[in-house]
Amino acid sequence: MPQFPVGSGARPYPAIVERGVLGRLAEFVPAQAAKVFVLTTRDVWDLHGAAVAGSLNGAEVLFFPGGEDNKRLSVVEQLAEQMVRAGGDRKSVLVAFGGGIVTDLGGFLASAFLRGIPVLQVPTTLLAQVDAALGGKTGVNLQSGKNLFGAFHDPLAVLIDPAVVATLPPREYRAGLYEVIKHGIIRSPELFALMRDRRDAVLAHDPAAVDFMVADSVRIKADVVTEDPFEGGLRRILNYGHTVGHALEAETRYVRFLHGEAVAFGMRAATHLGRLTGRISEALCLEIVAVIDSYGALPPLDGIEPTALFARLINDKKTLRGKVHFVLPTGIGSTEIVSGLDEAVVMEAIRAAY
């Protein structure tokens, strides 16, 4: 049972990777909890709800309709009203049980309900397991962009069962694999090698391959978040691919691309930008792009102009003092954060990613 401590402050929390951990959720709920709420979607509940209900007997289930278009403040308000009507108080605990949208929105709901109640993060998609549920970043979308309204709210624990990803639709699974590739590029040559050399095993849900890629991704994010809990420095390397990826999501109103797919496109752009600025060789650029592309074609980019994506970059939450920051690879396992790049070079990189 790999277990990784996250945070070094007054209340570090564990990220546990264990097959069957859904049956142990009650062990992580504080004894003084007056009421337990489970925020989930109906499809996740239909697949895995029995294990959670068996562990959290008597929990109140809140159903989120799902989708990036419902990741909004209005939905948070509706869910909070349900919690009030069900008797929620400051001793309540919320369990965010679902994919990255649920863990983001659920964490934010917990951070704001009665000025803050504890949350347990129980991610069920690969993308949420290796990224979204870890680190305490929560939030919802605004019309202007993704995750622009939120808070840092650390969970009691992050409980990850790698077995549940076998129930994901193939497209959802692949979307998470792009985030795994990201972790390999920024921090782990061994993980990158797995994704390059054992593609068939990864796509076939081979338990050894899945457990390694989930555990190593969790280890990487736990280490980075512990060193930089509020994204002041090192943690920004986790945004490799996200700058252009978020622009693509916003330009398509969050309905054409899954988050991981948008990040894959953003990684292609950032990798080409690394090549164009002399940080990596053309050969390494092509190798990285080939590994990304080997996990499946992205949705078509018809009707999306590179100039529109560039314009979106200015409104991204990672823009600081009016400058767009990019995480660029300098090798497998290393990156550099840069800003103030020439607009023409950025445009060339975005076009090269198409």
Side-chain angles (χ1 to χ4, degrees):
M1 180 187 72
Q3 180 169 324
F4 306 95
V6 186
S8 57
R11 194 177 62 80
Y13 59 91
I16 295 172
V17 182
E18 177 187 332
R19 289 180 180 252
V21 76
L22 295 185
R24 297 179 50 219
L25 301 188
E27 299 175 25
F28 300 90
V29 175
Q32 66 271 24
K35 193 170 188 65
V36 177
F37 293 93
V38 178
L39 177 66
T40 190
T41 55
R42 291 196 179 274
D43 56 342
V44 169
W45 191 253
D46 288 344
L47 285 168
H48 307 294
V52 173
S55 178
L56 299 175
N57 187 32
E60 184 87 18
V61 181
L62 307 171
F63 287 108
F64 169 68
E68 287 282 359
D69 52 339
N70 286 312
K71 190 180 172 184
R72 304 301 293 268
L73 278 170
S74 58
V75 176
V76 172
E77 182 178 1
Q78 293 168 15
L79 292 166
E81 291 283 7
Q82 291 180 48
M83 293 170 70
V84 170
R85 291 195 296 269
D89 59 25
R90 298 193 70 181
K91 291 186 178 180
S92 299
V93 172
L94 179 70
V95 178
F97 177 49
I101 296 173
V102 168
T103 60
D104 278 358
L105 183 140
F108 181 61
L109 173 61
S111 76
F113 185 72
L114 299 178
R115 298 187 176 90
I117 63 172
V119 63
L120 272 174
Q121 294 285 12
V122 187
T124 59
T125 64
L126 179 60
L127 189 146
Q129 290 183 350
V130 302
D131 187 59
L134 292 148
K137 286 169 66 175
T138 74
V140 295
N141 301 332
L142 298 181
Q143 192 68 36
S144 301
K146 185 180 176 71
N147 292 333
L148 293 182
F149 201 92
F152 286 95
H153 189 58
D154 283 341
L156 296 171
V158 182
L159 306 174
I160 298 167
D161 185 345
V164 303
V165 303
T167 65
L168 293 175
R171 184 183 174 194
E172 287 275 1
Y173 182 56
R174 289 197 305 271
L177 294 175
Y178 298 125
E179 288 278 3
V180 175
I181 294 169
K182 177 199 80 175
H183 283 124
I185 294 168
I186 67 173
R187 200 78 167 178
S188 175
E190 296 80 11
L191 183 56
F192 182 79
L194 171 80
M195 303 305 290
R196 180 191 62 208
D197 301 336
R198 299 197 62 202
R199 173 184 173 277
D200 290 346
V202 168
L203 290 175
H205 298 279
D206 175 77
V210 170
D211 288 2
F212 177 82
M213 70 183 189
V214 171
D216 206 43
S217 292
V218 171
R219 174 191 64 80
I220 290 164
K221 183 151 189 183
D223 287 348
V224 171
V225 166
T226 296
E227 186 170 337
D228 180 17
F230 299 114
E231 204 169 17
L234 176 67
R235 185 168 178 168
R236 290 161 64 196
I237 70 172
L238 297 169
N239 292 326
Y240 169 58
H242 285 60
T243 305
V244 175
H246 280 176
L248 180 60
E249 288 181 291
E251 183 65 19
T252 54
R253 299 182 182 273
Y254 307 103
V255 296
R256 192 187 302 189
F257 294 85
L258 298 178
H259 176 64
E261 293 170 338
V263 168
F265 177 81
M267 287 194 294
R268 292 199 321 218
T271 302
H272 282 292
L273 193 53
R275 169 182 60 83
L276 291 167
T277 57
R279 287 169 170 82
I280 58 172
S281 66
E282 182 174 2
L284 182 55
C285 173
L286 293 176
E287 180 183 7
I288 291 172
V289 171
V291 172
I292 294 169
D293 291 350
S294 72
Y295 283 91
L298 301 180
L301 293 154
D302 301 344
I304 306 169
E305 294 296 327
T307 51
L309 296 184
F310 183 85
R312 290 275 183 180
L313 299 180
I314 303 301
N315 290 324
D316 190 84
K317 65 181 183 300
K318 289 173 284 298
T319 298
L320 300 174
R321 299 183 182 92
K323 292 184 177 181
V324 181
H325 288 65
F326 295 93
V327 181
L328 305 183
T330 56
I332 299 302
S334 62
T335 59
E336 181 182 353
I337 300 169
V338 299
S339 64
L341 294 177
D342 183 82
E343 177 177 337
V345 177
V346 175
M347 285 294 301
E348 184 177 351
I350 292 174
R351 288 192 175 97
Y354 271 66

